[in-house]
């Protein structure tokens, strides 16, 4: 690699875009060489997605030039960009779930025989195409029958086959497990060999170091650095992204936790909950003021455990006690009534209503708890919302902005705020830090710790071991839809968790 | 067995079961006479329903078709009998008008982002209103061409009369299947209905396809109006009121998902014939109120929607139930 001698594939100079007075991107240069993976990193609001959208023609730029193979291009829309050789694969897979894999590969350019679209030809071409990437699947099945990883690979293969010279991958790995990431990376490597330039956006620094050749760091719409990956130490990268020196607190246990939890009284005691196909029988006890981390690989049953406790799915057996009293947790409504709260993993699908304002989203759970016929005065709603915006540092101009327009980290805070105003005693957080930037990440973690200190029982599901080790008083380790063990106090470390997961 | 074929399979099985039941009671269901009458009586609904199938697969709805059929009949009748226009010219003009009508609705739906329900509801009132304004009378058409067309009949040995309308219906059916499966436009309609944003990103000309879908629907509704005019030999502004609902019901019973993306033209064909079969049964039986048809259709429709709902809550919608894993992915 280190392809500086080669002529650049894509050359972006002085790219600028302003939305309603605030510049989303100002004077950004970006160069992509053939056969390299160039990671673009930055916090939320750094301008990564704006950069992509300008390159793919979703937005019109205010200033700057884009050169592809030395020629100026003016991408008018994603389709035009695709014709020019720039394909983008997004986090939310932009394929058609109701069409077959083969058709998805050829939508908009279906192979024709005697002027007629031929399904047989489509299937054959699809098989052949996937074979070049060592993917062997039934191409006639609906796309929706396959895992996210396969869908993503289909999207990539499609992009590449559209004679793409440049492939833009926006958070491709955020919902994949380790094995799937490997599959994806092997596809990416074979693309590099073909001389395709790859612009990669991701939040996973490990993966950046694993797969990328070059890193460009953006912050607040400006480019703050461009480095060869192997020459950029992690600490420098993180401090560039944050724009401040980073004290690495994650990974080490902060000593203030595990302060005599034995004194605290038990909030929830679950005995023998289980549901076939979701999770095997487990016991779980959570004390007030305690943070219980759920660790395990994707698909280990972490989310399922949370959903069983919250009553989204009914347990088929076992019993539950809240503060010593036996309760039935068979619906979220009941769980909320007992003072539970759950922030789901997929905030777009399960949590937030994007078109409602920050205030309306925050007030939702409280309103549900009080009953729909009891109106909360607007003044009061506003007060709640503003308190939360201040307490959680939600970056929004005011409480009346639609939630859909906020960044991921801030959306996550709005969900947290929603539960906090209803003053729950027990909060279940499913991947509270997924897909948000480092700054917001640290803030969310601080909020979690603060809530526990205030005496709330917390159960946090996370894929990030370092994070779990940092804040948990107790860690429940799961594997293959089964609770394996619990680690307490000084036993908790990344090594111990991994050991527990790996243990036979 | 692919899950998208399932609704279609159910439609076929239900149709066969009902037809077999009817046949067991009245052996005339085995004759070409009943078959030909089914095709003739449902031709106009069927032709419009095939257009509607594309609309619903694309994720939209077209409420204007019943009114368009009526307007077409009235317009042709007036032009031919009062203005003495050559029927062929009248047909050409009205087809042109229908095409433009659909295209304009499509433009409103796509460019102004107004829900199809509202736009086509307006279209429904507009077309019906225009029909009433033209005339509120029923006008008979006695043009020689109409007589000639009515004599275009193939008579089966058992006196089954395969009329022009039946032929037109089958021709449109074949055309519909061809468009749906063997043209890029057809495949793009499926793609668009499956996920419009994705389709756009994948380079499907969503704007053009949307407009073409409504154009096709109005064009076919107009054609259905002409077919009905030819077989009734009259124009009447009060006919086919609410036909759009029968048509939508037929499409849904035919296995097309109201959410878009999944559906088959051949299913719609069955969905159109199904009420016809029941109607024939009730007529032959004579003792039951013909309104039972509505009840049967209601039950069927409900059953199909319930089935669709069950099918569409597929595992992929719930991350915690994501059990489908890559079957055999090999990495180099």
């Amino acid at each position: 690699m280190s392809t500086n001698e080669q002529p650049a594939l894509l050359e972006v100079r002085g790219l600028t875009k302003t939305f309603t007075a605030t510049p989303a991107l100002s004077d950004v240069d970006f160069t992509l060489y053939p056969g390299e993976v160039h990671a673009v990193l930055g916090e939320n609001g750094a301008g990564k997605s704006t950069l992509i959208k300008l390159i793919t023609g979703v937005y019109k730029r205010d200033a700057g030039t884009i050169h592809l193979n030395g020629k100026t291009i003016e991408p008018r829309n994603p389709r035009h960009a695709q014709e020019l050789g720039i394909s983008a694969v997004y986090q939310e897979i932009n394929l058609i779930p109701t069409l077959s894999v083969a058709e998805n590969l050829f939508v908009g350019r279906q192979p024709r025989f005697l002027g007629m679209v031929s399904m047989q030809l489509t299937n054959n071409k699809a098989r052949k195409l996937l074979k070049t990437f060592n993917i062997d699947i039934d191409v006639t099945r609906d796309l929706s029958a396959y895992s996210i990883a396969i869908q993503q690979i289909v999207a990539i293969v499609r992009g590449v086959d559209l004679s793409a010279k440049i492939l833009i991958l926006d958070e491709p790995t955020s919902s994949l497990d380790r094995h799937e990431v490997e599959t994806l990376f092997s596809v990416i490597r074979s693309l590099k060999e073909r001389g395709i330039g790859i612009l990669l956006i991701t939040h996973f620094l490990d993966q950046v170091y694993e797969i990328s050749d070059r890193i460009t760091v953006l912050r607040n719409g400006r480019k703050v650095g461009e480095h060869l990956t192997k020459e950029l130490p992690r600490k420098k990268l993180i401090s560039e992204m944050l724009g401040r020196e980073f004290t690495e607190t994650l990974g080490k246990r902060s000593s203030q936790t595990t302060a005599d939890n034995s004194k605290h009284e038990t909030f929830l005691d679950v005995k023998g909950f289980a549901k076939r196909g979701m999770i095997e029988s487990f016991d779980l006890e959570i004390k007030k003021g305690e943070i219980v981390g759920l660790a395990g690989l994707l698909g280990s049953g972490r989310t399922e455990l949370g959903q069983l406790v919250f009553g989204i799915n009914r347990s088929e057996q076992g019993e539950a006690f809240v503060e010593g009293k036996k309760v039935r947790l068979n619906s979220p409504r009941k769980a909320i009534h007992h003072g539970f709260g759950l922030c789901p993993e997929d905030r777009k699908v399960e949590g937030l209503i994007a078109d409602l304002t920050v205030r309306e989203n925050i007030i939702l759970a409280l309103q549900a708890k009080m009953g729909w016929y009891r109106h909360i005065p607007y003044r009061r709603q506003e007060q709640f919302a503003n308190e939360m915006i201040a307490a959680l540092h939600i970056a929004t101009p005011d409480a009346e902005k639609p939630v859909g327009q906020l960044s991921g980290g801030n959306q996550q805070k709005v969900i947290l705020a929603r539960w906090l105003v209803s003053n729950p005693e027990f909060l279940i957080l499913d991947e509270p830090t997924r897909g948000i930037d480092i700054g917001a990440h640290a803030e969310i973690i601080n909020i979690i710790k603060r809530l526990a200190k205030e005496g709330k029982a917390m159960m946090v599901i996370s894929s990030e071991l370092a994070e779990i080790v940092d804040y948990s008083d107790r860690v429940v380790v799961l594997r293959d839809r089964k609770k394996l063990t619990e680690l307490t106090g000084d036993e908790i470390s990344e090594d111990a968790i991994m050991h527990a997961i790996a243990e036979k | 067995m692919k899950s998208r074929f399932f609704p279609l399979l159910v439609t076929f099985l239900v149709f066969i079961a009902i037809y077999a039941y009817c046949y067991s009671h009245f052996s005339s269901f085995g004759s070409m006479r009943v078959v030909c009458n089914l095709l003739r009586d449902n031709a106009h609904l069927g032709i419009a329903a095939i257009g509607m199938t594309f609309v619903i697969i694309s994720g939209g709805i077209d409420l204007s078709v019943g009114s368009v059929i009526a307007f077409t009949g009235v317009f042709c009748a007036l032009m031919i009998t009062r203005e003495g226009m050559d029927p062929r010219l009248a047909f050409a003009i009205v087809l042109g008008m229908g095409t433009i009508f659909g295209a304009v609705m499509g433009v409103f739906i796509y460019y102004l982002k107004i829900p199809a329900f509202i736009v086509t509801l307006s279209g429904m009132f507009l077309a019906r209103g225009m029909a009433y304004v033209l005339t509120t009378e029923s006008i008979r058409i006695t043009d020689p061409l109409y007589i000639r067309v009515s004599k275009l009949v193939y008579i089966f040995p058992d006196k089954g009369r395969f009329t022009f309308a039946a032929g037109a219906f089958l021709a449109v059916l074949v055309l519909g299947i061809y468009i749906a499966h063997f043209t890029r436009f057809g495949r793009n309609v499926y793609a668009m209905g499956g996920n419009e944003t994705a389709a756009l990103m994948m380079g499907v000309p969503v704007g053009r396809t949307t407009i073409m879908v409504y154009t096709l629907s109005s064009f076919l509704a107009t054609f259905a109006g002409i077919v009905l005019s030819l077989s009734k030999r009259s124009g009447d502004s009060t006919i086919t009121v609410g036909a759009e609902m029968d048509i939508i019901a037929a499409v849904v019973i035919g296995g097309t998902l109201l959410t878009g993306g999944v559906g088959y033209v051949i299913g719609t064909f069955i969905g159109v014939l199904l009420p016809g079969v029941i109607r024939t049964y009730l007529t032959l039986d004579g003792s039951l109120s013909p309104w039972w048809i509505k009840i049967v259709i209601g039950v069927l429709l409900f059953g199909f929607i319930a089935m669709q709902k069950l099918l569409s809550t597929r595992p992929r919608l719930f991350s915690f139930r994501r059990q489908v894993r890559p079957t055999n992915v090999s990495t180099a």
Side-chain angles (χ1 to χ4, degrees):
Chain A
M1 49 135 293
S2 190
T3 42
N4 283 8
E5 306 78 25
Q6 275 181 271
L9 199 54
L10 181 76
E11 245 185 313
V12 168
R13 291 285 166 263
L15 209 57
T16 301
K17 176 75 190 175
T18 304
F19 296 110
T20 57
T22 49
L25 208 62
S26 48
D27 198 24
V28 167
D29 295 347
F30 176 79
T31 312
L32 183 65
Y33 294 96
E36 76 165 358
V37 176
H38 191 152
V40 175
L41 304 177
E43 288 199 49
N44 287 333
K48 295 167 297 186
S49 35
T50 310
L51 175 68
I52 295 184
K53 284 176 175 162
L54 289 173
I55 295 174
T56 54
V58 177
Y59 297 150
K60 261 188 104 67
R61 61 183 182 275
D62 297 338
T65 55
I66 303 173
H67 292 274
L68 180 67
N69 283 330
K71 270 182 245 141
T72 314
I73 56 165
E74 294 287 341
R76 290 187 299 268
N77 51 48
R79 192 180 183 202
H80 183 219
Q82 213 170 57
E83 282 161 13
L84 292 167
I86 304 172
S87 274
V89 174
Y90 294 93
Q91 191 176 359
E92 284 88 21
I93 293 159
N94 271 304
L95 293 175
I96 319 287
T98 51
L99 291 185
S100 70
V101 169
E103 278 210 80
N104 267 290
L105 286 168
F106 294 100
V107 163
R109 54 187 188 117
Q110 295 87 346
R112 288 188 283 203
F113 180 71
L114 300 175
M116 295 181 5
V117 172
S118 160
M119 214 46 76
Q120 202 184 339
L121 216 55
T122 307
N123 292 339
N124 288 341
K125 285 184 86 169
R127 263 178 228 119
K128 222 183 270 171
L129 185 59
L130 286 170
K131 201 145 265 169
T132 62
F133 290 92
N134 291 307
I135 306 287
D136 184 17
I137 54 174
D138 180 0
V139 294
T140 63
R141 284 179 69 187
D142 284 4
L143 182 81
S144 59
Y146 290 101
S147 71
I148 301 286
I150 293 296
Q151 296 188 23
Q152 205 134 37
I153 287 169
V154 171
I156 290 171
V157 169
R158 178 188 154 85
V160 171
D161 193 52
L162 284 164
S163 67
K165 302 172 193 101
I166 293 165
L167 190 66
I168 297 172
L169 300 177
D170 186 3
E171 292 285 355
T173 57
S174 59
S175 46
L176 308 190
D177 65 26
R178 189 59 227 174
H179 173 73
E180 293 172 326
V181 170
E182 281 309 325
T183 312
L184 181 68
F185 280 6
S186 85
V187 169
I188 291 181
R189 288 193 190 97
S190 79
L191 294 175
K192 283 178 64 170
E193 283 165 24
R194 299 179 186 203
I196 288 165
I198 294 158
L199 191 167
L200 173 71
I201 290 188
T202 179
H203 286 295
F204 298 100
L205 296 188
D206 284 340
Q207 295 175 3
V208 168
Y209 279 94
E210 187 180 338
I211 194 86
S212 78
D213 303 307
R214 191 187 301 269
I215 295 172
T216 285
V217 181
L218 298 179
R219 192 173 70 236
N220 296 331
R222 291 179 180 280
K223 175 172 165 178
V224 290
E226 182 178 342
H227 314 269
L228 288 177
T229 307
K230 56 186 174 192
E231 291 167 5
L232 180 65
R234 259 171 212 245
K235 278 202 173 160
K236 179 146 192 280
L237 170 62
I238 290 168
S239 72
E240 273 195 1
M241 287 168 70
L242 292 175
R244 56 177 182 249
E245 283 308 310
F246 184 61
T247 47
E248 230 176 282
T249 50
L250 295 188
K252 294 176 219 138
R253 278 183 64 72
S254 27
S255 48
Q256 87 280 4
T257 50
T258 63
D260 264 344
N261 274 306
S262 46
K263 275 193 292 190
H264 294 298
E265 48 184 310
T266 300
F267 176 75
L268 173 71
D269 194 4
V270 170
K271 288 196 170 86
F273 263 31
K275 186 172 167 69
R276 223 169 308 137
M278 292 188 73
I279 189 153
E280 285 179 39
S281 171
F282 65 90
D283 298 339
L284 186 69
E285 188 191 355
I286 296 174
K287 297 189 178 79
K288 288 182 183 173
E290 185 186 38
I291 305 177
V292 173
L294 297 192
L297 301 174
L298 195 72
S300 61
R302 302 169 310 194
T303 301
E304 289 80 353
L305 193 157
Q307 287 176 334
L308 228 53
V309 170
F310 196 61
I312 294 176
N313 285 290
R314 287 181 200 194
S315 175
E316 287 164 349
Q317 59 185 72
E319 44 194 7
F321 301 88
V322 170
E323 296 182 301
K325 260 184 279 173
K326 188 170 174 184
V327 295
R328 281 166 57 85
L329 298 172
N330 52 14
S331 74
R333 224 178 97 91
K334 285 220 177 109
I336 292 168
H337 178 75
H338 291 304
F340 292 21
L342 175 112
C343 302
E345 180 178 2
D346 192 337
R347 43 183 185 267
K348 283 200 192 95
V349 178
E350 296 168 52
L352 287 171
I353 302 165
D355 291 335
L356 292 186
T357 66
V358 172
R359 172 181 55 81
E360 288 165 326
N361 268 290
I362 287 178
I363 225 73
L364 215 58
L366 182 61
Q367 185 77 71
K369 196 178 180 183
M370 285 174 56
W372 291 103
Y373 47 90
R374 273 163 62 193
H375 178 66
I376 303 168
Y378 180 78
R379 208 39 99 65
R380 196 85 192 90
Q381 294 189 16
E382 209 177 20
Q383 190 188 337
F384 274 134
N386 287 332
E387 272 171 25
M388 283 301 155
I389 289 169
L392 305 183
H393 306 292
I394 299 170
T396 173
D398 57 66
E400 300 306 315
K401 196 172 166 86
V403 158
Q405 294 175 16
L406 300 184
S407 69
N410 283 308
Q411 292 188 1
Q412 192 65 51
K413 289 182 193 168
V414 171
I415 295 204
L416 261 174
R418 174 191 294 172
W419 291 109
L420 295 181
V421 291
S422 70
N423 199 22
E425 287 165 87
F426 171 43
L427 259 180
I428 304 167
L429 308 180
D430 193 352
E431 295 283 7
T433 57
R434 162 164 292 180
I436 63 177
D437 58 82
I438 294 177
H441 191 276
E443 274 188 67
I444 297 268
I445 287 175
N446 282 332
I447 292 168
I448 291 171
K449 289 181 182 170
R450 203 173 74 209
L451 290 172
K453 226 176 253 170
E454 288 168 10
K456 298 197 191 310
M458 307 285 290
M459 184 162 94
V460 189
I461 300 166
S462 177
S463 321
E464 290 189 43
L465 294 187
E467 179 188 308
I468 285 216
V469 167
D470 177 41
Y471 51 62
S472 300
D473 298 303
R474 199 140 49 84
V475 176
V476 172
V477 184
L478 296 113
R479 186 184 65 206
D480 298 336
R481 301 179 181 274
K482 190 178 167 184
K483 177 177 163 182
L484 293 175
T485 181
E486 281 187 17
L487 304 169
T488 330
D490 293 337
E491 292 167 23
I492 302 174
S493 70
E494 286 188 54
D495 273 356
I497 295 173
M498 285 190 285
H499 193 72
I501 292 173
E503 222 170 52
K504 277 283 158 191
Chain B
M1 182 73 214
K2 299 191 176 58
S3 62
R4 66 195 124 109
F5 290 134
F6 187 71
L8 186 62
L9 181 75
V10 173
T11 305
F12 267 103
L13 293 179
V14 167
F15 182 78
I16 289 166
I18 290 181
Y19 206 94
Y21 177 83
C22 294
Y23 181 64
S24 72
H25 282 65
F26 302 102
S27 60
S28 59
F29 272 92
S31 72
M32 281 315 287
R33 219 172 50 226
V34 166
V35 174
C36 288
N37 287 353
L38 272 177
L39 290 176
R40 182 198 64 201
D41 295 344
N42 295 292
H44 65 287
L45 287 180
I47 291 167
I50 286 163
M52 182 72 79
T53 309
F54 285 90
V55 175
I56 294 180
I57 291 173
S58 83
I61 197 85
D62 186 353
L63 300 178
S64 69
V65 288
S67 302
V68 169
I69 293 173
F71 171 80
T72 304
V74 172
F75 181 85
C76 292
L78 267 182
M79 287 299 134
I80 295 163
T81 54
R82 301 238 173 113
E83 309 295 327
M85 192 183 273
D86 186 306
R88 281 162 295 192
L89 181 62
F91 294 163
I93 292 174
V94 80
L95 279 173
M97 289 167 72
T99 307
I100 293 168
F101 185 74
V104 170
M105 289 197 298
V107 165
F108 274 96
I109 290 162
Y110 181 72
Y111 286 104
L112 301 183
K113 304 282 170 224
I114 305 173
F117 186 92
I118 303 295
V119 173
T120 59
L121 184 69
S122 317
M124 176 183 104
F125 286 118
L126 193 71
R128 182 66 66 182
M130 289 198 302
Y132 280 126
V133 166
L134 285 180
T135 179
T136 48
E137 298 159 39
S138 176
I139 303 171
R140 278 200 63 74
I141 305 168
T142 49
D143 190 273
L145 181 89
Y146 272 66
I147 312 293
R148 257 182 289 147
V149 168
S150 70
K151 286 185 181 148
L152 274 178
V153 178
Y154 176 81
I155 300 173
F156 284 94
D158 65 355
K159 300 222 173 72
R161 294 167 60 83
F162 187 81
T163 58
F164 171 78
F169 183 15
L170 292 185
V172 170
L173 174 70
V174 172
L175 184 75
I177 293 172
Y178 174 79
I179 294 176
H181 298 284
F182 298 102
T183 66
R184 285 208 178 150
F185 163 72
R187 300 321 294 161
N188 288 344
V189 171
Y190 279 85
M192 211 170 87
N195 180 345
E196 186 173 327
T197 331
L200 183 69
M201 299 297 259
M202 291 166 91
V204 170
V206 169
R208 195 174 76 203
T209 309
T210 305
I211 294 166
M212 279 171 73
V213 159
Y214 288 94
T215 308
L216 178 70
S217 176
S218 282
F219 175 82
L220 286 179
T222 312
F223 183 61
I226 293 173
V227 168
L228 189 63
S229 150
L230 282 166
S231 44
K232 286 205 158 201
R233 282 191 262 162
S234 68
D236 185 340
S237 47
T238 60
I239 58 159
T240 59
V241 173
E244 54 281 342
M245 294 304 157
D246 294 329
I247 289 167
I248 292 167
V251 173
V252 174
I253 290 173
T256 298
L257 296 190
L258 273 171
T259 43
V262 180
Y264 293 90
V265 173
I266 189 75
T268 297
F269 178 67
I270 305 291
V272 168
L273 292 188
L274 203 51
V277 171
I278 299 164
R279 196 177 294 120
T280 310
Y281 176 85
L282 293 175
T283 314
L284 289 173
D285 181 85
S287 66
L288 285 164
S289 158
W291 294 109
W292 272 98
I293 181 117
K294 295 282 175 198
I295 294 170
V296 177
I297 295 302
V299 169
L300 279 179
L301 192 59
F302 180 79
F304 274 88
I305 301 255
M307 182 185 74
Q308 289 185 5
K309 189 70 206 165
L310 289 175
L311 284 178
S312 64
T313 43
R314 269 178 282 186
R316 74 190 156 86
L317 293 180
F318 301 98
S319 53
F320 53 87
R321 281 200 214 138
R322 199 188 294 143
Q323 288 148 339
V324 191
R325 296 264 121 199
T327 39
N328 42 359
V329 185
S330 55
T331 24

